[in-house]
Amino acid sequence: MAVKLFYEEKGLFLQNLHPLAAMVFLGTLLVLALAFTNPLYLAGILFVIVLTVWGADGLAVWENYLKIGLAMMLLVMMINPLVVHAGKTIIWHGPDIPFLGRPTISLEAIYYGIAMSVRLLDIISVFCLYNLIIHPDKALNLLSRLAQKSALVISLATRLFPAMARNIEHIKDVQRMRGVDFNRGTLKTKLRKYSSLFNILLLSSLEDALGIAESMQARAFGSGPRSCYSQNFWRPRDALCLAGSALALLAGVWGLTHGHGGYTFYPQLGYLIDGPGTVAVLLTVLLSLSIPVALNWGWRHCLFLKSKI
Amino acid sequence: MPFPVFLLLIIVLLLSGIKQNNLLAKQGWGLLSAEIMVAGLAFLYWGFEQGKTSSREIAFIAVLGALAAVGRIPFAMLPNVQPATFIIIVSGFVFGPRAGFMVGSTAALVSNFFLGQGPWTPWQMFAWGIAGASAGVLKIIFPNIGTAGMSVFHFIWGYLFGWIMNIWFWTAFIYPLNWQSFLATYAASFWFDTFHAVGNVAFYLIFGAGFVKILKRFRKKLEISILD
């Protein structure tokens, strides 16, 4: 599972976006998914995200995220109707329970639970998209301008992570060569064996850390300006995606302050579509958020567009 | 100087939520709680950036963060029983609050690069970061705390971690936000948190003494300075 969820370089259009443009796009999706409550808006955003995931060849990865999200979605759908008594349309009266009274389940609460699980799916899918299109190094590169030391710690730890997972196996092998059988013995002896395994891992990792620190020092860490090896190019496609995100965000904020994008769940369900303004805002938001996936399609199928962006 | 600014920002965000769906572009609590969390994290990272940090400290923090992150993997079969919290608390206890915070938040972020980033990432970064930092503070207040005291501390953090994570779930997906829905959310996570707490204590009792001894030895090495 760990491998499936991790970023893979496939040379896709969406992976070639400037990290700033890609981050702003994902951030916009996230903020809008958390800001809107209208189920139609939440479902629309989900549609755009899934379309983009498909554009990034990530439907198989997305399935894994779906599995993680499913348990949480069920919880959302269960807790809401069980504890919320604000709905007016009661569809089930429970038996009388001492101290708690009669539990009631209302249509509104079920509806709210479903809408919120769509929101949960929105958010989880945004992160799936993040894993699909942004290389961790690029994100860290962006961060390193703001916070050098923190970015250094994170990128060092990211590098060390797979190395350390391998190290555990190596130490196990060495111990096995010396006659330590990890599968034999009582729980107490097994624990002692594992305890020494982890102590060796900690000791050798910290010893390695000293080596890393010395080589950082030798490479003049912290003295003089930072050097930078890789450069990200800002291309027309990035400007287009950024403009799309900005437009979607503006339309969303304008809509929310003018009564579109919100929704009344309690005490009785409101109208999904509250006049033409609701549709106009929804379409503006969805179309401007679709710019990356539209460009992705153009990049694959339209040579003229490919040469221009 | 920036401390009051961050505090003010968080208070403004908190207050803007009182009048429901009205202030600050009608955002709900789900968004507000995420913003407060990110502001808190930004402030804590800012503190790390401002402080003097040697290359050795950076390397130690990275190694311990990676170790805690790796600790999340081999035990992934058992719900919530993993040595990450234990490693973070012990690191904070030996190396101090600032290093403890960095180890905790790095562990959360880095492990999620491999286990999958999600909306839970900033909350885990915060919860584990505070776990590490609080262990550093514990050391300052009770320098001679014994095994029993540390076990209790590990046990408490099993629940605290889950409770911090629950805030996110509760504010973003449950409505209305009242005591009933709060208790229901927290009751739903009770067994997971209990597993976590018991696991923490078990890891501390089994590996704690050895880990603390090794970490203390390396803290001494930190104090050696390189002459230019």
Side-chain angles (χ1 to χ4, degrees):
Chain A
M1 186 178 86
V3 184
K4 263 285 174 71
L5 297 174
F6 189 49
Y7 177 88
E8 264 179 274
E9 184 63 57
K10 292 177 185 164
L12 300 170
F13 169 80
L14 288 167
Q15 291 179 329
N16 283 329
L17 285 175
H18 191 279
L20 184 69
M23 289 287 243
V24 170
F25 172 63
L26 293 173
T28 308
L29 284 174
L30 195 64
V31 167
L32 289 180
L34 279 167
F36 291 138
T37 44
N38 190 324
L40 215 54
Y41 280 61
L42 293 176
I45 288 178
L46 184 63
F47 177 69
V48 171
I49 298 173
V50 175
L51 214 59
T52 319
V53 167
W54 169 72
D57 279 349
L59 284 182
V61 178
W62 186 63
E63 266 177 39
N64 282 326
Y65 271 82
L66 209 57
K67 281 178 204 157
I68 299 173
L70 217 56
M72 287 166 77
M73 285 166 73
L74 277 176
L75 203 60
V76 170
M77 280 196 250
M78 271 162 53
I79 289 187
N80 271 302
L82 282 178
V83 301
V84 176
H85 304 294
K88 251 186 155 178
T89 320
I90 308 290
I91 54 173
W92 185 71
H93 278 289
D96 209 350
I97 303 170
F99 305 113
L100 289 173
R102 283 183 84 177
T104 52
I105 291 189
S106 65
L107 183 69
E108 285 83 2
I110 292 177
Y111 197 60
Y112 183 81
I114 293 171
M116 286 305 108
S117 16
V118 175
R119 174 190 271 182
L120 184 67
L121 200 55
D122 276 353
I123 296 169
I124 286 179
S125 308
V126 168
F127 281 93
C128 170
L129 199 56
Y130 168 83
N131 283 346
L132 283 169
I133 66 173
I134 298 187
H135 193 290
D137 280 351
K138 284 187 177 174
L140 285 173
N141 196 358
L142 210 59
L143 178 72
S144 69
R145 278 169 218 205
L146 289 170
Q148 312 184 11
K149 278 190 271 182
S150 317
L152 183 63
V153 167
I154 295 164
S155 54
L156 264 180
T158 313
R159 285 284 162 280
L160 285 169
F161 183 94
M164 220 172 262
R166 265 199 308 276
N167 258 355
I168 296 179
E169 290 307 311
H170 287 170
I171 297 169
K172 250 186 172 172
D173 282 345
V174 172
Q175 293 285 78
R176 242 180 247 131
M177 295 280 279
R178 298 175 67 195
V180 180
D181 189 347
F182 285 98
N183 297 322
R184 266 166 100 192
T186 57
L187 186 67
K188 205 176 168 191
T189 49
K190 260 193 203 169
L191 279 177
R192 203 176 301 141
K193 286 170 192 166
Y194 273 101
S195 173
S196 73
L197 172 75
F198 286 122
N199 282 346
I200 296 167
L201 179 69
L202 180 67
L203 209 61
S204 60
S205 313
L206 285 172
E207 212 54 74
D208 287 348
L210 286 177
I212 294 170
E214 272 160 22
S215 81
M216 273 159 62
Q217 203 92 29
R219 278 159 208 187
F221 164 78
S223 60
R226 283 177 75 237
S227 52
C228 184
Y229 290 101
S230 69
Q231 231 178 347
N232 296 310
F233 296 106
W234 186 265
R235 289 173 282 210
R237 58 182 86 162
D238 302 309
L240 283 171
C241 291
L242 197 65
S245 310
L247 185 63
L249 203 59
L250 279 178
V253 170
W254 185 88
L256 281 170
T257 44
H258 287 76
H260 310 297
Y263 188 70
T264 331
F265 288 94
Y266 301 113
Q268 248 177 329
L269 298 176
Y271 290 106
L272 267 185
I273 298 173
D274 212 7
T278 311
V279 183
V281 171
L282 178 63
L283 282 182
T284 316
V285 168
L286 293 189
L287 285 178
S288 30
L289 285 177
S290 312
I291 288 179
V293 73
L295 289 178
N296 178 50
W297 184 86
W299 193 71
R300 277 186 188 173
H301 300 285
C302 173
L303 280 177
F304 174 72
L305 193 65
K306 191 175 177 177
S307 70
K308 288 292 170 195
I309 56 172
Chain B
M1 159 57 195
F3 179 66
V5 175
F6 275 101
L7 204 63
L8 195 72
L9 177 70
I10 288 174
I11 290 171
V12 165
L13 287 171
L14 268 175
L15 288 178
S16 65
I18 288 177
K19 211 175 163 199
Q20 202 179 17
N21 285 345
N22 265 322
L23 298 165
L24 283 182
K26 299 194 178 179
Q27 3 179 3
W29 267 110
L31 196 54
L32 277 173
S33 67
E35 281 164 10
I36 291 171
M37 190 56 47
V38 171
L41 273 177
F43 172 67
L44 290 164
Y45 270 98
W46 176 85
F48 177 72
E49 286 296 319
Q50 294 306 307
K52 258 189 141 184
T53 323
S54 69
S55 50
R56 282 185 176 182
E57 271 174 88
I58 287 187
F60 278 164
I61 290 171
V63 161
L64 290 170
L67 192 70
V70 169
R72 285 186 71 190
I73 293 172
F75 298 91
M77 300 302 130
L78 287 164
N80 261 350
V81 176
Q82 29 81 4
T85 316
F86 150 72
I87 295 172
I88 290 159
I89 289 178
V90 169
S91 313
F93 188 74
V94 175
F95 286 102
R98 211 174 55 192
F101 168 76
M102 284 306 290
V103 170
S105 62
T106 307
L109 183 65
V110 169
S111 60
N112 283 345
F113 277 134
F114 300 89
L115 296 171
Q117 298 287 4
W120 45 80
T121 304
W123 295 85
Q124 285 176 339
M125 286 170 71
F126 183 80
W128 266 324
I130 296 299
S134 67
V137 174
L138 183 78
K139 172 78 177 287
I140 295 168
I141 301 172
F142 304 106
N144 297 318
I145 192 166
T147 313
M150 277 304 271
S151 302
V152 172
F153 189 74
H154 276 86
F155 189 76
I156 293 172
W157 260 107
Y159 285 97
L160 278 182
F161 181 84
W163 290 348
I164 293 174
M165 298 302 294
N166 283 350
I167 299 175
W168 165 69
F169 185 79
W170 181 59
T171 50
F173 306 109
I174 310 287
Y175 182 90
L177 300 174
N178 57 21
W179 280 110
Q180 280 172 318
S181 62
F182 182 81
L183 287 178
T185 311
Y186 278 67
S189 80
F190 177 77
W191 285 110
F192 288 98
D193 298 338
T194 308
F195 274 127
H196 190 185
V198 172
N200 283 348
V201 176
F203 281 114
Y204 178 68
L205 291 177
I206 298 165
F207 303 119
F211 263 52
V212 170
K213 204 170 138 196
I214 295 171
L215 288 177
K216 277 190 176 154
R217 196 185 309 156
F218 277 89
R219 195 189 57 200
K220 275 188 194 146
K221 288 196 179 181
L222 256 187
E223 287 153 10
I224 299 166
S225 60
I226 297 169
L227 296 175
D228 287 319

